[in-house]
Amino acid sequence: MFPGTLSGGVVGRALEKKIWSYDTINIRDFAINNYGSVDDEQFGGGAGMVMRPDVVGNAIDSIKNPGKIIFFSPRGKPLNQQMVHEYIKNDTITLLCGRYEGLDQRVIDEYDIEEVSIGDYVLSGGELAAQVFVDTAVRLLDNVLGGGLDSTQNESFEIGGLEWPLYTRPSVWRGHKVPEVLLSGHHGNIERWRKQQSDEITKERRPDLIKEN
Ligand code: SAH
């Protein structure tokens, strides 16, 4: 599953340039038997299997320098741009991807693991969540985006709301014109228009973002 989507685009190029790197650990290598078992039934009953603490603990202990450990879980703190800015201050992060119903609570407690969610829906595994996390983190690292600091700062969530509408050539397409102000070359007016558009869209679609700021 790795690098998966992380091999493409700017994040993939940054991987080739060694701006970031990763190792994967297959939890099955720490299985309790030759069948590769890493999970077991839930104490207290109920459907679904749980990842065993002995297996996952041994997998974590095999990492020389795990750094901060994150477990992806719908129960976790919802990931946002501000959290990503904090996480990239770490040189090394270990991302633990769940399967089945999830992970024995004792592993979370033992290693003081942070639980992170990528949204209010349930995936079948944590690998996609890990790739979302890495993608959003790596694009904030120096020398990853072509436009430099400007490309990461002029963006939804960084500007205190959602992005304004974007336009490119041709200036007329199927009879639809690009807003006049964008062709005016008047930077002050363009900036005001963008701010006003951004405010309107944010108010309509994500009023929660306005209250937060
Ligand atoms: N029983 C869990 C869901 C398990 S889904 C519950 O009710 O909360 C299996 C695995 O997929 C999880 O352990 C987690 O690692 C991953 N996963 C599913 N949804 C996720 C989400 N929204 N964010 C992050 N990881 C998620």
Side-chain angles (χ1 to χ4, degrees), residues 71-74 98-102 116-119 121-126 129:
F71 176 59
F72 292 103
S73 159
R99 281 273 155 181
Y100 319 108
E101 271 326 305
V116 171
S117 163
I118 64 158
Y121 41 79
V122 180
L123 301 165
S124 54

Side-chain angles (χ1 to χ4, degrees), residues 112-132:
D112 200 16
I113 291 176
E114 273 178 40
E115 291 182 77
V116 171
S117 163
I118 64 158
D120 292 347
Y121 41 79
V122 180
L123 301 165
S124 54
E127 297 83 2
L128 274 175
Q131 289 182 26
V132 166

Side-chain angles (χ1 to χ4, degrees), residues 164-171 176-180 182-183 193-194 197:
W164 48 78
L166 306 173
Y167 297 92
T168 186
R169 291 187 190 89
S171 57
H176 303 292
K177 288 186 190 145
V178 168
E180 204 63 47
L182 297 177
L183 308 174
W193 180 85
R194 285 180 170 167
Q197 291 286 319

